[in-house]
Structure formats: C-alpha cells, structure tokens
Amino acid sequence: SSIAMQNAQVRNNSEQLDGRDLRIAVVQARFNVHLTDRLAQSCLDELRRLSVAEDDIVLHTVPGALELPLALQSLAEGGEFDALIALGCVIRGSTYHFELVCNTSAAGIQQVTLDHGIPVANGVLTVEDEEQAIVRLDKGAECARVAVEMANLLIDIGSDEE
C-alpha cells in the first residue's frame, strides 16, 4: 500500500530528527561517574546538534542505575517533557549482583515508557569492564537521536488521530 511506502520513506527522514520545540530530560546515574559524565556529554552535544534548545534540555543526576526509574517516573508524571533519556554504566567487575541491577533497572525504565506513553531512551551501558564501556560512550548520542525521533513519531501519531 502507499501508506506503507510513505512510512518506509520516513525512516531516514531528517524531519524525525528535528529537535526544535521538543523538551527532553536526561537522568544520569553517577555510579562510574567518570564514564557517565562522558555519556552525558555525548548525549547533550547531540541534542544540541539536533536543534533542541538549551532551555528545553534538563539534566538530573541520581546515585546509581537502580534510582533511574523513580526519577524518570517522576519526570514522566510531570508531563513537561516529550522524551526522557536514562544514562548509566554498570560494570560487572565492580557490581555485586550485576544481573539483578541490570535487569531491574532496564525493567523499571521500560515500565515508565509504557505506563506514561513517553519515549525513554535507555542509555545504561551494561559491560564486563571499563574498556567495553569506553568503546560504547557514543551510546549517549545514539540515545539523543532515539529520544528525538520517538518524540516526533508520537507527536505525528497523535496528530494523525485528531
């Protein structure tokens, strides 16, 4: 059908990556802060590159990955934001109950998305060691793109339904 073709064409459409008029909150876990600071910088730089206004970007920090879902939930409930971004870094070698922390954090982040109908880009790195984390610090920028694209998609879907 022609609609399917139109949607296929939108996939690489730069309009979906236009951050103007979007409000986006970033929540950064401070555990392994020397890495999560770099993730956050990558994310914030990309948000600016996508034309999200400085005044429309809010950054909060929490102690660790397990605190991300509650902060995200609170932001989602406030209704001020078009998308949220979770950033963190869990390293197996330095984390007791690594799987539990990873799974609980990821499930909580996903729950916020579905409970509140708001895009939440999950930028929590779960890695074996610091070297793996360093290689994946561009995940911050990737999450910025996901957040902007998904926020625009939901706005488009909402306006289609009206």
Side-chain angles (χ1 to χ4, degrees), residues 27-38:
V27 184
Q28 173 192 350
R30 293 188 307 270
F31 200 79
N32 294 312
V33 71
H34 61 293
L35 297 167
T36 65
D37 274 351
R38 290 169 65 185

Side-chain angles (χ1 to χ4, degrees), residues 90-103:
V90 186
I91 300 174
R92 184 186 295 276
S94 61
T95 308
Y96 182 63
H97 287 337
F98 175 79
E99 274 87 5
L100 180 75
V101 172
C102 296
N103 294 340

Side-chain angles (χ1 to χ4, degrees), residues 5 19 37 40 43-44 51 58 63 68 81 85 88 104 109 111 124 129 138 151 157:
M5 289 307 297
D37 274 351
C43 178
L44 296 171
S51 305
V58 174
L68 288 166
F81 297 98
I85 299 172
T104 304
I109 290 167
Q111 188 182 331
V124 180
D129 53 45
D138 63 339
I157 290 171

Side-chain angles (χ1 to χ4, degrees), residues 144-161:
R145 292 189 294 272
V146 167
V148 168
E149 180 177 339
M150 289 302 294
N152 282 324
L153 176 66
L154 291 191
I155 290 165
D156 287 351
I157 290 171
S159 64
D160 287 349
E161 288 173 354

Side-chain angles (χ1 to χ4, degrees), residues 67-87:
E67 288 73 42
L68 288 166
L70 182 59
L72 293 163
Q73 180 181 321
S74 183
L75 289 163
E77 284 170 354
E80 280 181 63
F81 297 98
D82 298 297
L84 307 174
I85 299 172
L87 299 175

